[in-house]
Each structure stands twice: as structure tokens, then as C-alpha cells.
């Protein structure tokens, strides 16, 4: 195993088993079926904490979903409630994403994002926490956009989303994307 090569003196069967278990643990939003999948267009909001408390909404893709459990813990300590609105491969940025696997624009993402923004506008939480993958390919209406041009379109879409959240009366909070290792030493 490559893990033995990386950590020859510390690797044990138990350590490898725990790491493999962690690799399969996608978090609470998946376990609670709150995370919308690729074909879903309706938000699957889950609420953690009692009604009537100040509210935080977590908004974004799976990179946002990873923050749900820490947000719940922080909210419990501060007497807040957390809601989760996350969707696979779908950032909060108001831009059409190009889906390489389907070789098509990800229009279900656009519809889902609009539904979440409408919910925010109808019943604004105090805080909207936004997190997502940072390097999406975008779609300009006729073709996929890559590289710096995609990043510029993504940034403009994120600014648009943030403005809508502010106009609704919520405070947007951005979490920078988690650094990624592009190769697993366990594979």
C-alpha cells in the first residue's frame, strides 16, 4: 500500500481502516438526505436547532456541506439555528456551470440556486454562509468556458449572489475553498 510507503513506521491496519472509513463519511447532510443530488431542482432544507432562534443558512455545493457539522456545533453554543441548502456540483455563484461528465450546461443547478435565493428573499436568515469548489467550468450560452475566463464569470456570479443576499437583509459570509490533494495515496 502507498500509505505504508508514506508512513512506514506508523501505518497499521487500524489506521488504514480508519482512514478508509473517513473517506466514505460524507457528513451529516448526506446522512440526513438534506443534500440535493444532480437532478434535484427543489432545495432539501434541513433545520438543526429550535425555531425562533437567530438562523444561519449554509448555501453551496458539497464543499459547503462539509461545514455543516462544525456550524451546528458552533450554533448550539451560541443559541442559533442552522439550515442547510447544498447540492452536488452546484455553487451559490449565479453562473451556469458546465458539467463535464454530462457534457452539458448544468441547468438543474441554476433552477435549484434560484429556488434557494427565493427562499432567502422570502424569509431572510441573519447569516448566509457560502462555500464551494473554487474552480468550476462555466457556460456562456453556447460553449464551455475554462481557465481565467471561467474564474472571472464565476466571480461575477458570486458578486451577484452576494448582492441578492444583502438586499434580502442577510449577512453573507464566505468560506474559502478547502485545499485539494489531486492524488490519493490510498488508491
Amino acid at each position: 500500500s502507498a500509505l505504508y510507503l508514506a508512513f512506514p513506521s506508523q501505518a497499521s491496519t487500524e489506521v488504514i481502516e480508519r482512514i478508509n472509513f473517513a473517506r466514505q463519511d460524507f457528513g451529516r447532510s448526506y446522512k440526513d438526505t438534506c443534500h440535493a443530488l444532480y437532478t434535484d431542482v427543489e432545495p432539501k432544507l434541513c433545520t438543526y436547532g429550535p425555531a425562533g432562534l437567530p438562523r444561519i443558512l449554509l448555501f453551496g455545493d458539497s464543499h459547503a456541506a462539509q461545514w455543516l457539522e462544525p456550524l451546528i456545533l458552533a450554533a448550539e453554543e451560541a443559541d442559533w439555528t442552522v439550515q442547510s441548502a447544498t447540492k452536488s456540483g452546484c455553487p451559490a455563484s449565479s453562473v451556469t456551470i458546465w458539467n463535464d461528465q454530462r457534457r452539458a450546461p448544468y441547468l438543474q443547478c441554476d433552477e435549484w440556486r434560484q429556488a434557494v435565493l427565493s427562499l432567502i428573499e422570502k424569509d431572510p436568515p441573519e447569516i448566509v454562509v457560502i462555500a464551494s469548489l473554487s474552480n468550476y467550468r462555466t457556460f456562456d450560452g453556447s460553449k464551455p468556458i475554462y481557465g481565467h475566463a471561467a474564474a472571472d464569470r464565476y466571480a461575477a456570479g458570486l458578486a451577484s449572489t452576494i448582492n441578492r443576499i444583502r438586499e434580502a437583509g442577510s449577512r453573507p459570509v464566505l468560506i474559502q475553498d478547502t485545499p485539494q490533494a489531486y492524488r490519493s495515496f490510498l488508491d
Side-chain angles (χ1 to χ4, degrees), residues 91-97 106 109-110 113 136-139 150 153-158 161:
S93 176
S94 294
V95 63
T96 300
I97 298 302
Y106 189 10
C109 175
D110 292 348
R113 182 186 314 107
Y136 278 103
R137 291 177 174 99
T138 61
F139 183 70
R153 292 173 62 79
Y154 183 89
L158 186 56
T161 296

Side-chain angles (χ1 to χ4, degrees), residues 75-93:
E76 286 171 352
E77 287 183 22
D79 288 327
W80 282 59
T81 295
V82 174
Q83 286 185 310
S84 175
T86 60
K87 178 174 172 60
S88 292
C90 186
S93 176

Side-chain angles (χ1 to χ4, degrees), residues 22 26 33 48 53 65-66 71 73 75 77 85 106 118 140 161 167:
F26 290 99
T33 64
Y48 302 90
L53 295 177
Q66 72 184 345
L71 274 177
L73 290 173
E77 287 183 22
Y106 189 10
S118 293
D140 74 354
T161 296
E167 288 170 5

Side-chain angles (χ1 to χ4, degrees), residues 7-26:
F7 306 103
S9 62
Q10 292 112 357
S12 69
T13 302
E14 181 183 350
V15 169
I16 292 171
E17 287 174 4
R18 286 183 180 191
I19 290 170
N20 283 328
F21 175 78
R23 289 176 70 196
Q24 301 305 313
D25 183 1
F26 290 99

